Amino acid sequence: MKWLAVLILIFLILFGCNFQPNETNEGSLIDVDRELPAEYVDLNRLKAEIVTTPGTEQVGIKVELRNENEVEAGLSFLNDQIFELVVREDGDTVFRKLVDDPNKTVGNQITIDASESVEWTTVWDYKREDGTRVSPGSYDMFIYFLPYKISEMEVNDAALYSTTKIEVPAENNAFRDVSVEGAQGEYIVNGEARVYEAQFLYMVEDGHNILIDETPVMVAEGGPAWSPFKINISIDQEDLPKNGTLTLILFERSAKDDSIINQYYIALEHFD
């Protein structure tokens, strides 16, 4: 039986020499140090941001999604809805809506090139879903993007979101239903005014300079009646801001002490 013992000994020696443990990840079948594919998209480098422009009757909302990866990112959606806008007060939801993207490519797919961004704009009129205006104060605004897949990776609704705080102003008693049409220095402003002696004033500024000084406007009737008005605004191209917001300010002057009252702010145009 000596030959059997010799065979067993040879077998043990050969087995011991050929067995090598996994040096990079001992005890695991997965190599955690493996290189990621070149097209890998890091979700932490997809940055969502909200920029708000508060007005008297509504807040303008610009949503930006930046791709800080070195490769393009493809976002796939189940339908036309790109993100959900949610407004909360002390944790309670007061408003929510789904926002569509009219510029989506075929197949509910959005592609963002490396180091590029995509923007969407929308507004909130300070009203609840039942149409009643919320109280003045501080509110939390959230944007939740709704892709189900990002560059072939399945994701949930919490993968891409952003939040910011906004201040809702008190309702204005002198101006309402103000709207703006136009661009690049030529604007038409319509609305209604309830003002003393059927007169109010307006001015236009860009946050640094006054582009149109105090200008009076007459309406058909004085308060307490509401009267429609229309303002044509023209600003030279060379005076338009390179960056920032062109803002119209409607206001009255107090008959008591000539102080400015009932100010109403509305954006004419945003420049980037």
Side-chain angles (χ1 to χ4, degrees):
M1 299 296 292
K2 288 184 179 181
W3 61 271
L4 181 59
V6 172
L7 286 176
I8 293 173
L9 181 60
I10 292 172
F11 175 80
L12 291 174
I13 292 173
L14 291 174
F15 180 83
C17 291
N18 286 312
F19 176 79
Q20 296 290 335
N22 186 334
E23 295 179 359
T24 59
N25 190 26
E26 188 172 358
S28 173
L29 296 178
I30 301 174
D31 183 1
V32 296
D33 294 328
R34 71 191 186 281
E35 290 187 6
L36 293 170
E39 67 276 10
Y40 173 76
V41 173
D42 184 354
L43 298 185
N44 292 320
R45 301 189 70 183
L46 290 176
K47 305 291 186 181
E49 183 180 8
I50 308 171
V51 178
T52 59
T53 306
T56 306
E57 287 188 334
Q58 65 182 25
V59 54
I61 305 163
K62 181 176 77 172
V63 178
E64 180 183 21
L65 184 58
R66 297 191 309 278
N67 178 17
E68 297 180 354
N69 287 276
E70 296 181 357
V71 297
E72 70 177 26
L75 284 72
S76 301
F77 299 84
L78 292 173
N79 47 45
D80 292 341
Q81 295 159 352
I82 299 301
F83 61 83
E84 183 179 28
L85 166 66
V86 180
V87 181
R88 297 189 177 107
E89 181 185 27
D90 298 328
D92 295 326
T93 298
V94 299
F95 177 80
R96 70 194 313 151
K97 75 172 181 178
L98 294 166
V99 178
D100 297 345
D101 178 19
N103 301 316
K104 250 188 345 301
T105 56
V106 177
N108 298 319
Q109 174 91 10
I110 292 176
T111 300
I112 309 176
D113 292 335
S115 303
E116 296 293 333
S117 64
V118 179
E119 294 180 359
W120 298 266
T121 58
T122 186
V123 296
W124 177 47
D125 59 5
Y126 303 136
K127 293 180 180 178
R128 303 175 187 273
E129 294 179 18
D130 63 6
T132 60
R133 183 173 169 120
V134 300
S135 301
S138 181
Y139 292 78
D140 296 305
M141 179 176 289
F142 297 83
I143 293 292
Y144 298 99
F145 281 90
L146 303 173
Y148 72 93
K149 187 183 294 185
I150 298 177
S151 295
E152 304 308 317
M153 293 181 292
E154 293 188 359
V155 295
N156 57 39
D157 292 352
L160 287 174
Y161 75 96
S162 184
T163 182
T164 189
K165 283 190 174 291
I166 63 168
E167 292 293 327
V168 174
E171 197 165 6
N172 193 287
N173 293 317
F175 305 99
R176 72 182 185 183
D177 298 334
V178 182
S179 63
V180 176
E181 297 179 1
Q184 295 300 310
E186 301 295 329
Y187 311 98
I188 299 174
V189 181
N190 289 283
E192 292 185 336
R194 181 172 62 183
V195 291
Y196 179 68
E197 293 187 343
Q199 177 179 281
F200 66 92
L201 302 109
Y202 75 88
M203 59 193 301
V204 176
E205 53 91 17
D206 64 3
H208 303 283
N209 303 299
I210 295 175
L211 305 183
I212 297 180
D213 212 338
E214 291 190 19
T215 302
V217 177
M218 296 296 299
V219 293
E221 282 186 85
W226 287 97
S227 289
F229 67 84
K230 179 179 181 180
I231 306 172
N232 293 290
I233 296 174
S234 183
I235 300 173
D236 292 338
Q237 288 283 321
E238 57 267 25
D239 293 331
L240 295 175
K242 298 294 187 295
N243 293 284
T245 301
L246 199 62
T247 302
L248 170 69
I249 308 171
L250 309 175
F251 59 95
E252 295 182 271
R253 283 201 174 271
S254 169
K256 180 179 179 181
D257 58 9
D258 203 41
S259 62
I260 292 177
I261 59 173
N262 293 328
Q263 289 174 289
Y264 185 109
Y265 295 83
I266 185 167
L268 295 175
E269 190 171 1
H270 304 287
F271 296 88
D272 295 315

